[in-house]
């Protein structure tokens, strides 16, 4: 288990402020945040590249705060591979084992195994520059896992790859994690990687970790306006909140919404995820507690999905599939009905 | 009608004229003596000595430049430390300083200071000796090596070293196993240009080591001495050898260092 | 326990020693004469003449270098043409060529070829005249200007010019209104380093223009002449002026050209 | 109107091969293609930066093939803005007018109008480096449109911007086009820009224009395997085709599908867009001609949408909303039914 305790580091342009985080054994932790949020500096401090200004890091009960990188049992994979260009793929993968003075036959065997697992065994004698981006990243991952690290750090490992390669390698990472039960911290700004990989996700902003939880918790129940905005919550309103029958009733510009969430204060922020709102030209016969009639303001066609903005006192954005959209035959100016459950209304 | 590109014609024209002018100048020197006269000059004892002394001193000064410049360049490329900007500017100083002035400064240092006198008593005499030639070459030329290595190290992401360290390397091992092998072409380019400049060094060596026939007579000094006393054949053959060396080194430099900056 | 960073200590140490050594050398020269002696030397007719001649020739050669190097650098940075690689290598030639050899080559060109004799008959005498100093400086130093401007132009996306052309500019207007203003700091850095190198030029000028007191006596030549005949006060004051000029130009160069490469 | 006729240009790394395209007056044409497909070289050849090796360009009846850029009345906006850093925003926008020797008061008025339209009138005295990316791109667009060009070329104008700014500026482009009726060629590799902006879309590959049509035509009826793959068609199969009752019946690894499309040859490629496939744990009572039962192979959660892979003889990818996914409670290994209309099956 890794505990990061009140870790701070000021590098001028990038900072880490009092970051505290626990990663359990075998957990796949994804850290997500905007550019410049301090994601890379966190990983590099963990790897021991810079000494922290304050705070501690404890890995499997061992305080590694002042240990040099080579004694930490932490491996790192960068976005741009960082394969040593003067070494072959096999020499790259075996680099760490050679430093540990492992016997040559054992190195060869371990390299071959890792390469086979990542389907690059046919590339072992090539030099990195002759490989595609996806192949290079596989080699970099092999070089990291062959060390059998206690913790694997991935710094936007898929960001430099194109769509298809990225998806393939994402599956490989999942498979690698499942097969070896390796503990991973994976930094990204891509939401899809959160949903397909993360056991838990941490949101980082300006060097601070602002929320940690399962992907569902973080994306459905952001705990502050920054997270809500960052994870792309479209329907974000401010209103006043009152208790009513064990539920909360929020009033936003005269429109009342019922929520199962309970607020701490009277002034609250409210979000409803666009894909959790039902829309129909006919009144909706459903048990949803929040039902409104309104008018279609704007329709934005994104290909697979269609975003419909409905004015029902407040402007609600509703996300539907293109097929649903075509079936309903919606047009701007149409009268429509929208509905969503009390449990879909997040308050913070 | 497609218009001719006037700007291209003019600018390429200037570059082409310049090139042709340089080629003519070099050919003028090389073709000036008759081949027979050139051969007899080149095989003369004096030129043989100058070639020998030039090669020994320039190889020695290049090795010393590498030993000084590589660590300094690494420090300037990788670390932040107090006074880094000042160091960056001052180590470029010999680039802007006339070699003659550098030579006078070295002469004062080795001839008048306690350190210089101490070294002389210990047997390391730099004034008017071949050792002085080596020191003059080092002082005038290490900035080239340093600038090339600094820009080479800067072009290599420090993340290669970070990865190497997580894979079990110490700082020194990461430099030795990863960064230096990646810097090979910069080292070759810098070494060649430093060597060529060393062979051609005149002003600083003239001040510190003097121009003594058959003692501190490198090829440029030989050229100078023989021009002064009208031995045109000998002078031109020294110049010819220097041109051949320059052309060859420039070729190697452009090959390995085309992308690195001086 | 946090470990001290050995590699950093060693490499920064080397860089620091180097810096201190250079500072000591410069201070040695500057503080050698008494201020009174320095003042009287600097106000002597001979040094005044050398300063005047150095400034006139170096300003003239810098202007000529700019006029030659800017178009050539633009052609090399922007256009593809037959023989571009050869041109790129050959215009760097004077960098690797010892200045003394360059001077001999220029001497042969102006002294022995029909072109040189024609120019002399037309009144343009380069051999043993101040005009020769200008030509020697230009030939040895334009590669610095050219390399700086080439890398400056290469760092400016040609798309700025493309946009300017769709907005009504001809090729020349796009260069003049967009690229040159964006290249200002490169021009300043290149101009200053070319000027400083011009003021310090010795070897090539010595061969082509000779060392004649009060006629072709620039500051380096004055330093050489006075060292040769033991007038140490005069020699050191010439060296001091050259050091001041070098330090000032290097400061300007690092300011504007820190990012451009030589 | 712009006609590009058999335009070819070989620049080594990038080529243009016999490109033919017509853009009508006031049309918003989006050109889409992978990196290195020759998108930028096409625009730069149109702008007159390079002479073409062969072919013609005719703009509003005028042959501009050999005209210098300044006489073409074509403006260009690049991905990375290319604002002149030594000029203020106002001087940048007025740059072209000043070259045309327009009187200073008129320049000032036109600059002010364009800046106001693009909401950058408060930035006119600033230098470009002090502006955000979005503001810089607005200034670059203003600089282009103030020339009242007969054709506006946009080279991935939104690619360098972050998500929110990109969406805002996309709306601005739409508004600009609607307000001025300007003819636009917009090059991108982003599909959302196609759907939200394009009147028509052209697909370019290796310097060749392989398909032109409305976004719907191109995305629903790709005319070749490359376009199908590129626009991200997930369900792409090869099969043999037979005529049957005026419809086509395609056999793919033993599975038969009915299509309203008619094929030219017996060996065909077939695509079905994942969002046009219905999925349900119960048999689907619908008039869809193609109905299969199968088993859920894999579920990939992308946040807003969920991709379900169903094995029903062939592997079908089905895209549903997260809400639909949660309501159905699908899990890997479940037995499900899938259905899609004959008109959803594209053949080429």
């Amino acid at each position: 288990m890794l505990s990061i305790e009140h870790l701070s580091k000021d590098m001028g342009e990038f900072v880490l402020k009092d970051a505290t985080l626990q990663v359990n054994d075998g957990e796949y932790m994804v850290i997500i945040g905007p550019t410049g949020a301090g994601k890379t500096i966190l990983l590099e401090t963990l790897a021991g590249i810079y000494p922290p200004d304050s705070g501690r890091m404890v890995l499997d009960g061992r305080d590694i705060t002042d240990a040099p990188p080579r004694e930490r049992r932490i491996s790192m994979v960068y976005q741009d591979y960082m394969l040593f260009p003067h070494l072959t793929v096999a020499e790259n993968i075996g680099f760490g084992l050679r430093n540990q003075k492992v016997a040559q036959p054992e190195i060869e065997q371990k390299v071959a195994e890792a390469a086979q697992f990542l389907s690059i065994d046919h590339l072992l004698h090539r030099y990195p520059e002759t490989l595609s981006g996806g192949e290079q990243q596989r080699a970099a991952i092999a070089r990291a896992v062959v060390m059998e690290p206690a913790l694997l750090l991935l710094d936007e490992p898929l960001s430099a790859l194109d769509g298809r390669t990225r998806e393939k390698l994402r599956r490989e990472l999942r498979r690698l994690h499942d097969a070896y039960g390796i503990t991973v911290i994976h930094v990204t700004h891509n939401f899809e990687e959160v949903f397909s990989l993360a056991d838990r996700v941490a949101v980082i902003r300006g060097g601070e970790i602002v929320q940690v939880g399962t992907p569902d918790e973080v994306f459905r129940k952001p705990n502050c306006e920054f997270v809500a905005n960052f994870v792309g919550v479209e329907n974000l309103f401010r209103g006043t909140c009152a208790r009513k029958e064990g539920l909360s009733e929020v009033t936003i510009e005269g429109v009342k919404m019922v929520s199962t969430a309970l607020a701490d204060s009277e002034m609250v922020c409210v979000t409803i995820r666009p894909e959790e709102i039902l829309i129909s030209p006919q009144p909706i016969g459903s048990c949803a507690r929040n039902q409104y009639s309104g008018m279609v303001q704007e329709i934005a066609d994104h290909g697979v999905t269609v975003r419909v903005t409905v004015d029902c006192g407040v402007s609600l954005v509703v996300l539907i599939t293109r097929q649903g959209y075509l079936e309903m035959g919606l047009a701007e100016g149409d009268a429509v009905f929208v509905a969503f459950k009390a449990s879909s209304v997040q308050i913070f | 009608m497609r218009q001719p590109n006037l700007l291209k014609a003019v600018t390429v024209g200037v570059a082409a004229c310049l090139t042709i002018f340089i080629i003519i100048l070099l050919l003028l020197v090389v073709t000036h003596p008759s081949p027979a006269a050139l051969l007899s000059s080149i095989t003369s004892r004096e030129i043989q000595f100058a070639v020998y002394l030039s090669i020994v001193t320039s190889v020695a000064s290049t090795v010393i430049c590498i030993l000084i410049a590589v660590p300094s360049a690494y420090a300037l490329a990788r670390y932040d430390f107090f006074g880094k900007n000042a160091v960056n500017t001052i180590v470029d100083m010999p680039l802007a300083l006339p070699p003659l002035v550098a030579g006078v400064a070295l002469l004062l240092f080795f001839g008048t200071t306690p350190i210089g006198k101490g070294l002389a008593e210990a047997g390391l005499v730099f004034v008017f000796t071949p050792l002085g030639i080596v020191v003059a070459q080092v002082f005038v030329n290490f900035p080239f090596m340093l600038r090339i290595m600094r820009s080479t190290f800067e072009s290599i992401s420090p993340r290669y070293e970070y990865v190497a360290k997580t894979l079990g390397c110490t700082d020194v091992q990461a430099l030795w196993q990863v960064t230096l092998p990646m810097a090979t072409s910069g080292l070759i380019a810098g070494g060649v240009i430093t060597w060529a400049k060393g062979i051609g060094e005149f002003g600083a060596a003239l001040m510190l080591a003097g121009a003594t026939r058959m003692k501190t007579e490198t090829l440029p000094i030989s050229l100078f001495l023989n021009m002064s006393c009208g031995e045109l054949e000998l002078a031109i053959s020294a110049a010819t050898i220097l041109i051949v060396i320059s052309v060859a080194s420039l070729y190697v430099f452009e090959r390995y260092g085309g992308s690195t900056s001086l």
Side-chain angles (χ1 to χ4, degrees), chain B residues 215-242:
Chain B
K215 188 182 173 205
T216 58
E217 186 179 0
T218 59
L219 283 167
I221 300 276
S222 172
L223 173 56
F224 169 68
L225 288 172
N226 286 307
M227 280 301 281
S228 306
C229 57
E231 292 274 6
L232 204 61
E233 295 296 328
L234 283 176
I236 297 284
S237 45
T240 303
I241 296 171
L242 286 168

Coordinates of all heavy atoms in Angstrom, one line a residue, chain B residues 215-242:
Chain B
K215 N 60.8 25.2 -32.4 CA 60.6 25.0 -31.0 C 59.1 25.1 -30.7 O 58.4 24.2 -30.2 CB 61.4 26.0 -30.1 CG 61.2 25.6 -28.6 CD 61.9 26.5 -27.7 CE 61.6 26.1 -26.2 NZ 61.7 27.2 -25.3
T216 N 58.5 26.3 -31.0 CA 57.1 26.4 -30.8 C 56.4 26.7 -32.2 O 55.5 27.4 -32.3 CB 56.7 27.6 -29.9 OG1 57.3 28.8 -30.4 CG2 57.3 27.4 -28.5
E217 N 57.0 26.0 -33.2 CA 56.5 26.3 -34.6 C 55.4 25.4 -35.0 O 55.7 24.3 -35.5 CB 57.7 26.2 -35.5 CG 57.4 26.6 -36.9 CD 58.6 26.6 -37.9 OE1 59.7 26.2 -37.4 OE2 58.4 26.9 -39.1
T218 N 54.2 25.7 -34.7 CA 53.1 25.0 -35.2 C 52.8 25.4 -36.7 O 53.5 26.3 -37.2 CB 51.8 25.2 -34.4 OG1 51.5 26.6 -34.5 CG2 52.0 24.8 -33.0
L219 N 51.9 24.8 -37.3 CA 51.6 25.2 -38.7 C 51.3 26.7 -38.9 O 51.9 27.3 -39.8 CB 50.5 24.3 -39.3 CG 51.0 22.9 -39.7 CD1 49.8 22.0 -39.9 CD2 51.9 22.9 -40.9
P220 N 50.4 27.3 -38.1 CA 50.1 28.7 -38.3 C 51.3 29.5 -38.0 O 51.6 30.5 -38.7 CB 49.0 29.0 -37.3 CG 48.4 27.7 -36.9 CD 49.5 26.7 -37.1
I221 N 52.1 29.2 -37.0 CA 53.3 29.9 -36.6 C 54.3 29.8 -37.8 O 55.0 30.8 -38.2 CB 53.9 29.4 -35.3 CG1 53.0 29.6 -34.2 CG2 55.3 30.2 -35.0 CD1 52.9 30.9 -33.5
S222 N 54.4 28.6 -38.3 CA 55.3 28.4 -39.5 C 54.9 29.3 -40.7 O 55.7 29.9 -41.3 CB 55.3 26.9 -39.8 OG 56.0 26.7 -41.0
L223 N 53.6 29.3 -40.9 CA 53.0 30.2 -42.0 C 53.5 31.6 -41.7 O 53.9 32.3 -42.6 CB 51.5 30.0 -42.0 CG 50.7 30.9 -42.9 CD1 51.2 30.8 -44.4 CD2 49.2 30.6 -42.8
F224 N 53.3 32.1 -40.5 CA 53.6 33.4 -40.1 C 55.1 33.7 -40.3 O 55.5 34.7 -41.0 CB 53.2 33.7 -38.7 CG 53.6 35.0 -38.1 CD1 53.2 36.2 -38.6 CD2 54.6 35.0 -37.1 CE1 53.6 37.4 -38.0 CE2 55.0 36.2 -36.5 CZ 54.6 37.4 -37.0
L225 N 55.9 32.8 -39.8 CA 57.4 33.0 -39.8 C 57.9 33.1 -41.3 O 58.7 33.9 -41.7 CB 58.1 31.9 -39.0 CG 58.0 32.0 -37.5 CD1 58.6 30.8 -36.9 CD2 58.7 33.3 -37.0
N226 N 57.4 32.1 -42.1 CA 57.9 32.0 -43.4 C 57.3 33.1 -44.3 O 58.0 33.6 -45.2 CB 57.5 30.6 -44.0 CG 58.4 29.5 -43.4 OD1 59.6 29.7 -43.5 ND2 57.8 28.5 -42.9
M227 N 56.1 33.6 -44.0 CA 55.6 34.8 -44.8 C 56.5 36.0 -44.4 O 56.8 36.8 -45.3 CB 54.1 35.1 -44.4 CG 53.1 34.3 -45.0 SD 53.0 34.3 -46.8 CE 52.2 35.9 -47.1
S228 N 56.8 36.1 -43.1 CA 57.6 37.3 -42.7 C 58.9 37.3 -43.4 O 59.4 38.4 -43.7 CB 57.8 37.2 -41.2 OG 56.6 37.1 -40.5
C229 N 59.6 36.2 -43.6 CA 60.9 36.2 -44.2 C 60.9 35.8 -45.6 O 61.9 35.4 -46.2 CB 61.9 35.4 -43.3 SG 61.4 33.7 -43.1
G230 N 59.7 35.9 -46.2 CA 59.6 35.7 -47.7 C 59.8 34.3 -48.2 O 59.9 34.1 -49.4
E231 N 59.7 33.3 -47.3 CA 59.8 31.9 -47.8 C 58.4 31.4 -48.3 O 57.8 30.6 -47.6 CB 60.3 31.0 -46.7 CG 61.7 31.2 -46.2 CD 62.7 30.4 -47.1 OE1 62.3 29.8 -48.1 OE2 63.9 30.4 -46.7
L232 N 58.0 31.9 -49.4 CA 56.6 31.8 -49.9 C 56.3 30.3 -50.0 O 55.2 29.9 -49.6 CB 56.4 32.5 -51.2 CG 54.9 32.9 -51.4 CD1 54.4 33.8 -50.3 CD2 54.7 33.6 -52.7
E233 N 57.2 29.5 -50.6 CA 56.9 28.1 -50.8 C 56.5 27.4 -49.5 O 55.5 26.7 -49.4 CB 58.1 27.4 -51.4 CG 58.5 27.8 -52.8 CD 57.4 27.6 -53.9 OE1 56.7 26.5 -53.7 OE2 57.3 28.4 -54.8
L234 N 57.4 27.6 -48.5 CA 57.1 26.9 -47.2 C 55.8 27.4 -46.6 O 55.0 26.7 -46.1 CB 58.3 27.2 -46.2 CG 59.5 26.4 -46.5 CD1 60.7 26.8 -45.5 CD2 59.2 24.9 -46.3
A235 N 55.6 28.8 -46.7 CA 54.4 29.4 -46.1 C 53.1 28.7 -46.8 O 52.2 28.3 -46.1 CB 54.4 30.9 -46.3
I236 N 53.2 28.7 -48.1 CA 52.0 28.2 -48.8 C 51.7 26.7 -48.5 O 50.6 26.2 -48.4 CB 52.1 28.4 -50.3 CG1 52.2 29.9 -50.6 CG2 51.0 27.8 -51.1 CD1 50.9 30.7 -50.6
S237 N 52.8 26.0 -48.3 CA 52.6 24.5 -48.1 C 52.0 24.4 -46.7 O 51.1 23.5 -46.5 CB 53.8 23.7 -48.3 OG 54.9 24.3 -47.7
A238 N 52.4 25.2 -45.7 CA 51.8 25.2 -44.4 C 50.3 25.5 -44.6 O 49.4 24.8 -44.0 CB 52.4 26.1 -43.4
A239 N 50.0 26.6 -45.4 CA 48.6 27.0 -45.6 C 47.8 25.8 -46.2 O 46.6 25.6 -45.9 CB 48.6 28.2 -46.4
T240 N 48.4 25.2 -47.2 CA 47.7 24.1 -47.9 C 47.3 23.0 -46.9 O 46.2 22.5 -46.9 CB 48.6 23.5 -49.0 OG1 49.0 24.6 -49.9 CG2 47.9 22.4 -49.8
I241 N 48.3 22.6 -46.1 CA 48.0 21.5 -45.1 C 46.8 22.0 -44.2 O 45.9 21.2 -43.9 CB 49.2 21.2 -44.3 CG1 50.3 20.6 -45.2 CG2 48.9 20.2 -43.2 CD1 51.7 20.5 -44.5
L242 N 46.9 23.3 -43.8 CA 45.8 23.8 -42.9 C 44.4 23.7 -43.6 O 43.4 23.4 -43.0 CB 46.1 25.2 -42.4 CG 47.2 25.2 -41.3 CD1 47.7 26.7 -41.1 CD2 46.7 24.6 -40.0

